[in-house]
Amino acid sequence: MKTKDILFVIIVLIFTSCTNKQNSLTENNKTSSYFDYSTSDDQLTGGIKMIPITTPKGTFNVWTKRVGNNPKMRVLLLHGGPGGTHEAFEAFDGYLPNEEIEYIYYDQLDSYYSDKPNDSTLWTTERFVEEVEQVRKALNLTKDNFYLLGHSWGGILAMEYALKYQDNLKGLIISNMMMSAPEYGKYATEVLGPKLKPEILKEIKDLEAKNDFNNPRYSELLMNHYYTEHILRMPLEKWPEPINRMFRHLNPSIYVYMQGHSEFGMTGNATLKNWDVTGQLKNIKTPTLVIAGTHDTMDPKHMEWVSKELQNGQLLLCPNGSHCAFYDDPKTYFTGLIKFIKEVNDGSFK
């Protein structure tokens, strides 16, 4: 074959290859509208909406941000605290988009980007439930696509919402939260506390007895000896940036009012300290995933019991996970979460 002919064949092959690749890219873009915001009213803001919420003390705005576009699978994220922020969930960015599952960040009233009326009469589970319901309506979430995921305090809020409005839900995820505050306190006191070195536990308890919660030593003891074992199992210097950012932006007023100062259960005048819905779990028929961590502040055996009490519950145990299992056992956490959402969506969940 002549040199000119050989060059011609090579050019044709290269052109054909490039054309095929371009066609493939075009076809892929046509088959997915996950990142297409062009027909949405939140395109200009990149998915962000400030939603007006009516309360007994007036109307305030709460911040939400939608990631992705999937009308069949839409997950509203309820952050912990109370008074935490959506930032703790930023690990989800590394997992859910690849599965084309839409999810929505949301700062509850008095948290971070949302309005802060700083009125303790609004800090009740009943009012927060109504806030979630107003957010649901504003975002057009329906029983055909609405998954509600609550982590920690968000798990309390998610369950309270389900107890009143489960007919609006397609799926429910309770992440790292027991369904009884007294049982949580008992587990922290009787099981987790004794795992600390006796001298460390004594110093913590002495500071609590003096109500010396603002003492820097108290935070130092908890962060270095308790949090790194049961909140997020990494050395503090390796904690993910979104978690550190969330702690910087946490609203301590609402946290202390509802949760209390102590990390060994809800104590003092904390409004949630007697919260217990264990007797109502049998009323929940919505497909529910209960996520627990072996090293969590929440008793994994209790979480297993919760999954069995529900009419349609399933347990996901993260063997390497603690309270923030989506950071210290992400493979287990997200594999199980994605599987649950997709099985509920296609009707194969059992």
Side-chain angles (χ1 to χ4, degrees):
M1 186 178 289
K2 294 180 180 180
T3 302
K4 285 170 46 178
D5 293 336
I6 293 172
L7 288 174
F8 178 76
V9 170
I10 291 172
I11 291 171
V12 170
L13 289 173
I14 292 172
F15 177 78
T16 303
S17 175
C18 290
T19 301
N20 288 338
K21 286 181 180 178
Q22 185 61 45
N23 288 339
S24 177
L25 288 171
T26 302
E27 286 301 313
N28 286 336
N29 287 335
K30 284 182 179 179
T31 57
S32 175
S33 60
Y34 183 71
F35 282 118
D36 181 6
Y37 288 61
S38 62
T39 61
S40 305
D41 59 2
D42 57 8
Q43 181 181 20
L44 188 63
T45 59
I48 293 173
K49 283 187 176 182
M50 297 299 291
I51 297 175
I53 300 297
T54 302
T55 78
K57 294 301 180 71
T59 299
F60 304 97
N61 293 315
V62 297
W63 178 93
T64 66
K65 177 179 172 63
R66 174 173 64 92
V67 179
N69 176 28
N70 189 332
K72 294 183 179 179
M73 295 179 287
R74 310 181 67 194
V75 187
L76 181 64
L77 304 174
L78 303 183
H79 62 68
T85 81
H86 74 278
E87 295 159 297
F89 286 124
E90 288 180 12
F92 285 55
D93 289 350
Y95 297 87
L96 297 196
N98 195 49
E99 303 295 331
E100 299 202 341
I101 296 172
E102 179 183 328
Y103 54 107
I104 301 155
Y105 291 124
Y106 157 37
D107 282 337
Q108 298 152 28
L109 192 64
D110 269 302
S111 290
Y112 199 31
Y113 285 142
S114 294
D115 286 352
K116 299 180 181 65
N118 196 34
D119 185 335
S120 61
T121 64
L122 300 176
W123 298 343
T124 67
T125 54
E126 294 80 9
R127 196 214 55 80
F128 275 112
V129 165
E130 297 311 312
E131 178 179 311
V132 173
E133 174 63 357
Q134 291 182 65
V135 169
R136 178 194 72 81
K137 290 178 179 178
L139 295 176
N140 296 313
L141 303 171
T142 73
K143 63 181 180 181
D144 297 321
N145 59 26
F146 179 27
Y147 296 79
L148 185 63
L149 186 154
H151 174 255
S152 194
W153 142 252
I156 292 178
L157 181 53
M159 182 55 72
E160 288 282 2
Y161 179 89
L163 286 168
K164 185 171 183 179
Y165 291 115
Q166 68 173 316
D167 289 343
N168 296 333
L169 292 170
K170 186 167 187 176
L172 175 67
I173 301 102
I174 303 297
S175 178
N176 308 89
M177 187 65 226
M178 295 169 67
M179 294 292 99
S180 168
E183 287 298 313
Y184 157 51
K186 183 178 179 182
Y187 182 68
T189 301
E190 297 180 3
V191 179
L192 298 184
K195 289 185 178 182
L196 293 167
K197 292 180 180 179
E199 62 272 21
I200 297 297
L201 179 60
K202 182 179 185 304
E203 191 173 358
I204 290 173
K205 289 298 185 181
D206 286 346
L207 288 168
E208 290 188 348
K210 298 174 185 176
N211 287 319
D212 197 6
F213 297 105
N214 293 324
N215 190 322
R217 179 62 175 164
Y218 183 71
S219 297
E220 179 187 347
L221 289 168
L222 285 177
M223 294 295 286
N224 287 287
H225 300 281
Y226 192 73
Y227 278 35
T228 51
E229 291 293 324
H230 304 296
I231 299 295
L232 206 169
R233 289 173 66 80
M234 297 179 188
L236 287 175
E237 64 272 15
K238 293 186 178 180
W239 273 27
E241 190 272 344
I243 289 290
N244 292 327
R245 195 162 12 102
M246 182 276 293
F247 272 109
R248 289 198 301 271
H249 297 147
L250 184 143
N251 183 340
S253 297
I254 183 173
Y255 183 87
V256 171
Y257 183 84
M258 297 184 73
Q259 150 75 30
H261 286 283
S262 176
E263 292 301 326
F264 291 92
M266 300 177 187
T267 57
N269 296 321
T271 60
L272 289 172
K273 70 177 182 179
N274 295 317
W275 182 81
D276 188 319
V277 295
T278 52
Q280 302 177 61
L281 297 176
K282 291 183 182 295
N283 297 328
I284 300 297
K285 60 180 183 296
T286 301
T288 304
L289 182 66
V290 178
I291 306 178
T294 298
H295 307 284
D296 198 350
T297 53
M298 304 294 160
D299 182 2
K301 291 183 179 178
H302 172 94
M303 305 291 283
E304 180 180 11
W305 175 83
V306 168
S307 70
K308 294 176 180 177
E309 281 292 288
L310 300 164
Q311 292 185 36
N312 203 5
Q314 185 180 92
L315 177 72
L316 171 61
L317 178 65
C318 299
N320 299 314
S322 62
H323 198 55
C324 294
F326 38 87
Y327 282 106
D328 49 26
D329 197 353
K331 183 176 181 181
T332 304
Y333 189 100
F334 286 108
T335 299
L337 174 62
I338 291 165
K339 179 175 179 287
F340 169 76
I341 293 171
K342 289 191 171 183
E343 287 184 350
V344 172
N345 179 61
D346 66 22
S348 63
F349 175 75
K350 295 180 181 180

